[in-house]
Amino acid sequence: MKLLLIFDSGLAGAGGKSNPNCELTAKKGMIGTGEMLAPHFNKIGGTVIATLYCGVEYFKDHQDEVVKKMTAMAKKLSPDFVVCGPGFNFPEYSEMCAMCATSILENTDIKACAMMSQENSATIETYRTKTPIVKMPKKGGTGLNNSIENLCELIDASVNHPEKLEEVKNKYCY
Amino acid sequence: MFDKLEKALTPIADTLSKNKVLTAIRDGFLVTVPMTIVGSIFLLIANFPIDGWSEFIASFAGEGWEAYLSAVTSSTFDVVALTGVLGIGYAYAREQGVDKIAGAVVALTCFLIVTPKSHPDYVNEAGKAFSGFSFGNLGTAGMFLGMITAIVSVLIFSWAMKRKLVIKLPDGVPPAVMDSFAALIPAAFAMTTFAIIHGIFKNTSYEYAHNFIYEVLQAPLVGIGRSNLFEVTYQFLSTLFWFFGINGPAVTNTVFGPIHKVLTQENLDAAKAGLEMTNIFTAGFSDFFCNYGGGGSTLGLVIMMAFLGKSARIKQLGRLSLPAAIFGINEPIIFGLPIVLNPIMAVPFILVPVLNTVTATIATNIGVLPITSGVQLPWTMPIMFSGWLVTGSLVASVFQLAQLVMDMLIYYPFLKMLDKKYLEEESLHADETDDLDDLSFDDLSFD
C-alpha cells in the first residue's frame, strides 16, 4: 500500500519555528515524524513513498497555492492514501491538513484523511463533514501511540475494507 | 515492551495531569514564577558572584545599597506562600468553574485567618508585643498550609456557589455588584470553616494550623526531597513520559513541583540568614545540572548532529535546532528527528538525564560542585551562564561543560546508528531511479 504524507516543516525535521517560511518541498520516502509512524504503517503493509511539506508561515501566506500544489502532487504520485497530519494542537498546520485532505478528496480519486487534536475546534467544525479527521492528543498529551494505531485502522479500512469504513470513522474520527 | 510500558504509564499520566487539585497547585505556583525570577535578578545584583562587587557599587551608590534591592526580594521570596495561595485559589476556582478572582481572594483571606497574628515572644522596647503577620508564616514554612487552605476554601466556596446558596439581587443591578453579592454567602461558609479550624488549633498543643501542617506534612515530604533518589526519580519519570510523547514535567511536577519549590526556598532563606545551605535538589539544580537543551538533555546530541552528522537530514535538522537548543528548547528534534517513540533513541534519551543527575549529586556531595543558592532563573538560561549564576562559582560552569561532553559520548553511538540508517536511505534513493526522483513542485500540471 503506497502512502503519501503531508507535514509541516517541523514534523518533516526541517525546523519548525526556526524555518517557518520553508517553501513547498517534496522528498522521496519518509522523513522526520514519518519514522515514528513507519512501524505502525508496516503493520498494515503501508510504505511511505514520499513526504510533502512546507513551513506554516509559508502556508499562511500562500494558502491557495499550497493546497492546489499539494493536491496536484498527490495526483501525480497517485498513492493509495494521503495522511495529512498528525497536526497535534498546532493551529495553522492542522488547518493546512484539513484543507489539503478536503481538496484531495474533492479533486482526485485518492483517499485521504487529516489528523489533529480537539484544541483545533474551529477547523474540526468546518471540515469534519468534508474529510475524515482522526482524533489524537495535543502535543505532550496521553494516547499518541493509540491514535496512530487508530489512523492505521482508518487507512486499512479505506483501502482494503470499505465495508468497515463507516464504523471505523465513527469510532476514531470527529 | 514499549506497548506494555505505555499502557501502564498512560493512566498514571492521565490521573495526575487531569487531577483538578494537583493541576491547580502546579498552575497556581506557576503564577508566582515571574515574580520570583524578577526577585532573583535583584538578589543576584545584590550578591553578584564577582569579588569586590559590593564595594564597587558602594563606591557610587553608598554603603548598604543592598537594602534597597532587598525591598523587592523580600516582597517576592518572603511571602511566597501568600502569592501561592492567591495563584492556587485562582487556578482551583477555574478548575471548579466558579468566579476565579473571588476564589483567589477567599483563599487568601482564609489563609490569613489561620495565620498567627500575635507574637508574644517579640516585644519592643516599650514592652509591647508584635501584632501582625510575620514573614516566617507567609514564606517557605507556610507553603504546604497555603496549598491546603487554597484548595479547601475554594472547594467550600464552589460547593456553596453551585448549590445556589447566594444572595440574588433584582435584574438591572450592575454585574460587578451582582457578582460580589453572589460571592458573599459562599465566602462566609469558607471563612467560618477556617475560623473554626483556627479555634480548634488554638486549643491544641500545636496552637496554629501552621505548626501542625509543617510538622506532620511539610517537613516529612520535604525530607523525602532530600533523599538521594528524589531527583533521579523525577528526571527518570519526566523523560520516560516524554519518550511516549507525553509532556513529562507537566505530569511529574504535579507531585514533585511543590517539594522542589520548598527545597529551593529553604536554601534561599538559609543564605539570607547567613546559614549553610543544605538542600541539593533545588529547582536550579534540576534545571541546570540535570538537563541541557530540554528534556533528555539533548544539547550535546544537537551539537553533534550539526557538526558531525553525515546524512543531510541529521545535519540540516541539527543546524536548524541548535539556536533553540542553546536556550533549552528541543521541540524540533522531539518530533523532527524524531525522539518520540523512536526505539534507537530511547536508551540515551532516558539514560542521559539520569546520569547527569547522579554525577551532579555526587559532585555536590563531595564538594566539587557548589550547592545551588535558591536563586530562580528562567529555565531557558544557557549552559555555563546558568551554572555560574545559580551557584556563584565558575567551577559550576566547567562542571556543566564536562557533563555536556559526557552527554555527547553517550549519545554518540546512537546518533551514529541513526545517521548511518538515514545515510543509507539517502544513498539508496540516490541510486534508485524511478519516477519519484527529482520530485519538484515546479513542474506540476493542474488539469
Side-chain angles (χ1 to χ4, degrees):
Chain A
M1 189 192 325
K2 292 193 293 180
L3 303 173
L4 176 68
L5 303 179
I6 293 186
F7 282 171
D8 71 349
S9 55
L11 258 58
K17 283 175 189 150
S18 52
N19 193 13
N21 292 309
C22 169
E23 292 184 15
L24 274 167
T25 312
K27 292 273 184 206
K28 188 174 166 181
M30 63 178 176
I31 49 173
T33 301
E35 299 283 342
M36 175 181 102
L37 306 171
H40 297 270
F41 291 155
N42 286 344
K43 285 187 203 161
I44 54 163
T47 312
V48 178
I49 54 161
T51 308
L52 317 179
Y53 64 90
C54 69
V56 288
E57 283 298 322
Y58 186 85
F59 166 70
K60 267 163 76 181
D61 297 339
H62 308 83
Q63 282 201 5
D64 289 345
E65 180 207 329
V66 168
V67 173
K68 209 170 157 187
K69 287 193 170 178
M70 292 283 195
T71 309
M73 186 59 96
K75 200 170 175 183
K76 181 181 169 187
L77 298 175
S78 187
D80 297 301
F81 197 96
V82 183
V83 177
C84 306
F88 294 89
N89 51 327
F90 307 134
E92 292 92 356
Y93 172 47
S94 292
E95 194 183 3
M96 178 171 122
C97 290
M99 289 172 76
C100 290
T102 302
S103 169
I104 291 165
L105 288 170
E106 284 174 358
N107 299 305
T108 73
D109 297 327
I110 304 163
K111 297 171 181 72
C113 79
M115 187 181 190
M116 64 192 71
S117 70
Q118 61 182 10
E119 282 72 18
N120 301 289
S121 52
T123 303
I124 293 167
E125 214 33 61
T126 311
Y127 292 96
R128 59 194 282 268
T129 54
K130 298 171 184 163
T131 171
I133 305 177
V134 180
K135 295 175 189 173
M136 70 169 301
K138 65 177 181 179
K139 189 189 90 182
T142 54
L144 179 62
N145 224 355
N146 231 352
S147 68
I148 301 171
E149 279 169 22
N150 298 345
L151 166 74
C152 289
E153 268 198 57
L154 178 84
I155 298 170
D156 192 41
S158 299
V159 178
N160 299 321
H161 307 285
E163 72 283 359
K164 284 192 201 162
L165 185 58
E166 272 314 301
E167 185 197 333
V168 174
K169 265 202 235 173
N170 289 336
K171 231 163 127 185
Y172 302 133
C173 297
Y174 292 105
Chain B
M1 187 189 89
F2 282 134
D3 281 354
K4 278 186 190 160
L5 197 55
E6 192 189 20
K7 283 198 175 83
L9 286 174
T10 301
I12 299 170
D14 270 338
T15 309
L16 292 177
S17 58
K18 288 178 185 161
N19 181 296
K20 288 180 178 178
V21 171
L22 295 175
T23 307
I25 292 173
R26 185 195 64 200
D27 293 354
F29 274 129
L30 276 181
V31 173
T32 67
V33 169
M35 271 69 72
T36 44
I37 288 178
V38 176
S40 292
I41 294 169
F42 277 79
L43 187 70
L44 269 175
I45 296 170
N47 304 281
F48 209 63
I50 290 179
D51 285 342
W53 171 258
S54 177
E55 294 75 16
F56 168 69
I57 301 290
S59 65
F60 55 87
E63 286 296 325
W65 59 275
E66 292 96 339
Y68 296 108
L69 304 182
S70 74
V72 177
T73 47
S74 225
S75 307
T76 49
F77 294 115
D78 290 343
V79 292
V80 73
L82 205 63
T83 44
V85 166
L86 266 176
I88 297 165
Y90 186 92
Y92 196 50
R94 179 196 67 201
E95 297 291 318
Q96 290 289 338
V98 295
D99 189 344
K100 298 186 282 287
I101 188 67
V105 174
V106 165
L108 175 67
T109 311
C110 289
F111 180 66
L112 293 177
I113 288 172
V114 294
T115 302
K117 294 162 208 62
S118 62
H119 307 269
D121 294 342
Y122 296 91
V123 182
N124 69 6
E125 286 164 355
K128 197 170 177 235
F130 168 57
S131 179
F133 298 108
S134 78
F135 283 154
N137 297 123
L138 305 181
T140 319
M143 283 171 73
F144 272 71
L145 178 67
M147 293 176 218
I148 296 168
T149 309
I151 296 297
V152 175
S153 62
V154 173
L155 196 63
I156 298 168
F157 179 77
S158 60
W159 169 82
M161 276 289 209
K162 285 174 184 170
R163 267 156 196 74
K164 306 269 184 244
L165 299 171
V166 296
I167 295 173
K168 286 201 179 75
L169 296 179
D171 289 344
V173 173
V177 179
M178 193 89 95
D179 288 348
S180 67
F181 271 88
L184 203 149
I185 292 179
F189 271 107
M191 288 160 67
T192 308
T193 306
F194 277 85
I196 293 168
I197 291 170
H198 180 60
I200 291 170
F201 277 111
K202 280 299 268 182
N203 289 291
T204 67
S205 59
Y206 289 105
E207 274 195 276
Y208 292 102
H210 277 266
N211 299 334
F212 176 73
I213 295 296
Y214 186 83
E215 278 179 39
V216 304
L217 194 69
Q218 181 157 334
L221 277 178
V222 173
I224 293 172
R226 291 195 191 95
S227 76
N228 280 330
L229 284 177
F230 174 78
E231 190 63 34
V232 123
T233 311
Y234 170 75
Q235 295 294 341
F236 172 73
L237 289 176
S238 296
T239 22
L240 186 64
F241 279 118
W242 251 134
F243 177 73
F244 291 105
I246 300 165
N247 186 337
V251 176
T252 48
N253 279 342
T254 55
V255 176
F256 291 78
I259 300 176
H260 267 137
K261 184 107 184 155
V262 173
L263 290 170
T264 312
Q265 280 283 135
E266 282 185 352
N267 270 16
L268 199 88
D269 292 347
K272 283 171 73 178
L275 302 169
E276 190 191 350
M277 297 181 289
T278 52
N279 294 336
I280 299 177
F281 304 130
T282 63
F285 181 90
S286 182
D287 287 343
F288 304 125
F289 294 104
C290 303
N291 268 308
Y292 303 103
S297 199
T298 52
L299 178 61
L301 170 69
V302 173
I303 293 172
M304 291 191 295
M305 284 168 65
F307 299 109
L308 301 179
K310 291 203 168 62
S311 69
R313 283 162 67 182
I314 296 267
K315 213 184 314 176
Q316 187 200 20
L317 183 57
R319 287 182 184 170
L320 284 165
S321 309
L322 192 52
I326 291 168
F327 294 97
I329 295 159
N330 61 355
E331 192 182 321
I333 63 159
I334 287 274
F335 293 107
L337 187 57
I339 282 174
V340 170
L341 303 175
N342 182 350
I344 295 181
M345 298 313 279
V347 174
F349 187 69
I350 294 165
L351 186 68
V352 166
V354 166
L355 280 179
N356 283 346
T357 310
V358 171
T359 48
T361 305
I362 293 170
T364 312
N365 275 321
I366 61 173
V368 172
L369 181 65
I371 209 150
T372 48
S373 66
V375 163
Q376 202 167 339
L377 301 170
W379 57 267
T380 47
M381 181 71 71
I383 187 168
M384 295 187 74
F385 291 101
S386 56
W388 176 48
L389 291 174
V390 86
T391 61
S393 164
L394 285 170
V395 173
S397 306
V398 175
F399 184 80
Q400 286 183 314
L401 273 189
Q403 282 201 313
L404 183 67
V405 172
M406 177 182 79
D407 293 0
M408 288 162 93
L409 290 174
I410 300 166
Y411 266 113
Y412 184 74
F414 298 93
L415 174 66
K416 278 308 269 183
M417 232 186 290
L418 204 62
D419 198 28
K420 197 174 158 212
K421 180 172 169 250
Y422 290 175
L423 201 63
E424 276 169 7
E425 282 174 14
E426 282 169 12
S427 57
L428 192 70
H429 288 167
D431 295 344
E432 279 175 3
T433 46
D434 59 23
D435 56 355
L436 288 176
D437 288 312
D438 306 321
L439 274 181
S440 168
F441 277 98
D442 297 331
D443 53 0
L444 286 172
S445 63
F446 298 96
D447 46 359

